Amino acid sequence: ASTPVRVSSAACTEPLYGMDTMEKRWPGHFSRWVHYHLYTLRYGLLDIYDLDGSVADLVWPFAETGRVRYWPRWSSMIGLDRFDTNCKYVGEYLAYQHCAVMHRGVSQWVAIIHSPDSFLVPGIKSRQGSSGAVLVADLLSAASPDVASFILGSWTFDGPRRSSSGSVLQDFPWRRKSHIGGHEYVIYDPKLTDYAEPHGVLHLEHVPYPGAVYRVAPELWVFHHYVSIFVERNLRILRRFSLVWDLGHMVLDRFLLA
């Protein structure tokens, strides 16, 4: 997994967990997700981080392509194995920095594609390759040489399930008018980046801001977020943040408004 592979565009996932549960609910979705990034968007290399070992049986069909690097049991690799998935957010942000360092001087562009509920999708004004495949290179070649990162918006899809095709992209065509959190996603130049996460980067001090940042209109490219894939997980996260929010207001009421 440590052999440098030079590519123009690469992508990294978050440390994935519970993929076996996802596959029981959405059979074949993981394979379609990986295939989409390798053969439709045509990323040259995909780094897949696995927190709990649940990716192992799903990723092996792509091992022979030479375009997937698999990082098994990420928590053990960084010394957090005794915490298992309870420290997943600590391991997550360490994975993003590991990704940035691994690709520095090797890949021209790196995208953090998060998890199998997110897809980078071309808008109505994007071009397609002659074979009908969407080329992520079209997006990356659209900016000037001074650009160090691309900022892309996201749309949230959920609502009633329209069909049972097995593909969430077809089963959930309903898009919210507005999306919770207003997440933006980044594709960045690793040699000009000091810190990276899915929704933002810090560039090196000599990189001019905001001139080095290219904001992409959703009519060109946008991330689709299918919350129904991990609906129970998303509800738990929302409840957790709601509790923190309520606690924060209680503290403010107690000390500032008393």
Side-chain angles (χ1 to χ4, degrees):
S2 60
T3 303
V5 179
R6 297 188 178 276
V7 295
S8 60
S9 63
C12 296
T13 73
E14 67 174 9
L16 304 174
Y17 63 96
M19 292 297 101
D20 47 353
T21 301
M22 182 200 72
E23 277 293 303
K24 290 179 181 178
R25 183 175 183 183
W26 304 101
H29 178 71
F30 183 87
S31 177
R32 285 190 289 268
W33 181 65
V34 173
H35 192 278
Y36 176 81
H37 287 87
L38 290 181
Y39 300 108
T40 301
L41 295 183
R42 298 188 184 180
Y43 282 107
L45 183 64
L46 178 59
D47 281 292
I48 297 178
Y49 293 83
D50 184 355
L51 186 66
D52 61 355
S54 62
V55 180
D57 292 338
L58 303 173
V59 75
W60 69 264
F62 298 96
E64 296 182 357
T65 67
R67 296 170 59 195
V68 172
R69 287 190 300 199
Y70 174 53
W71 303 91
R73 296 284 180 179
W74 175 247
S75 56
S76 298
M77 295 181 70
I78 58 177
L80 293 178
D81 51 306
R82 68 189 183 93
F83 298 104
D84 195 29
T85 58
N86 292 324
C87 282
K88 54 181 173 292
Y89 294 115
V90 175
E92 178 180 349
Y93 284 88
L94 289 175
Y96 298 147
Q97 307 331 306
H98 177 266
C99 169
V101 171
M102 285 289 297
H103 287 279
R104 186 170 295 165
V106 177
S107 303
Q108 184 178 359
W109 298 104
V110 175
I112 300 176
I113 58 174
H114 217 242
S115 69
D117 61 358
S118 298
F119 291 78
L120 177 59
V121 177
I124 58 175
K125 294 184 180 180
S126 289
R127 294 183 298 152
Q128 291 185 328
S130 58
S131 64
V134 178
L135 302 177
V136 73
D138 288 346
L139 165 63
L140 302 178
S141 63
S144 70
D146 298 327
V147 169
S149 62
F150 295 83
I151 306 295
L152 303 103
S154 64
W155 288 338
T156 299
F157 287 78
D158 56 2
R161 189 172 183 176
R162 189 181 69 173
S163 64
S164 300
S165 69
S167 169
V168 294
L169 280 71
Q170 298 179 21
D171 292 353
F172 293 95
W174 305 106
R175 176 169 65 89
R176 296 181 187 174
K177 291 183 178 180
S178 62
H179 51 85
I180 298 175
H183 282 323
E184 294 180 320
Y185 291 80
V186 297
I187 300 176
Y188 64 91
D189 183 343
K191 71 177 183 296
L192 299 176
T193 299
D194 191 37
Y195 172 86
E197 61 177 19
H199 312 304
V201 296
L202 293 177
H203 292 302
L204 300 178
E205 292 184 359
H206 71 276
V207 178
Y209 182 87
V213 178
Y214 184 96
R215 290 191 171 271
V216 181
E219 293 80 11
L220 296 176
W221 290 84
V222 66
F223 272 90
H224 287 190
H225 182 204
Y226 292 89
V227 297
S228 299
I229 297 178
F230 300 120
V231 60
E232 294 89 355
R233 182 187 303 180
N234 290 330
L235 287 174
R236 288 197 301 269
I237 293 173
L238 284 175
R239 282 196 292 266
R240 182 184 305 174
F241 279 110
S242 296
L243 290 172
V244 172
W245 183 266
D246 292 341
L247 180 61
H249 276 281
M250 291 173 59
V251 172
L252 289 174
D253 292 342
R254 173 65 178 85
F255 291 100
L256 298 183
L257 303 178

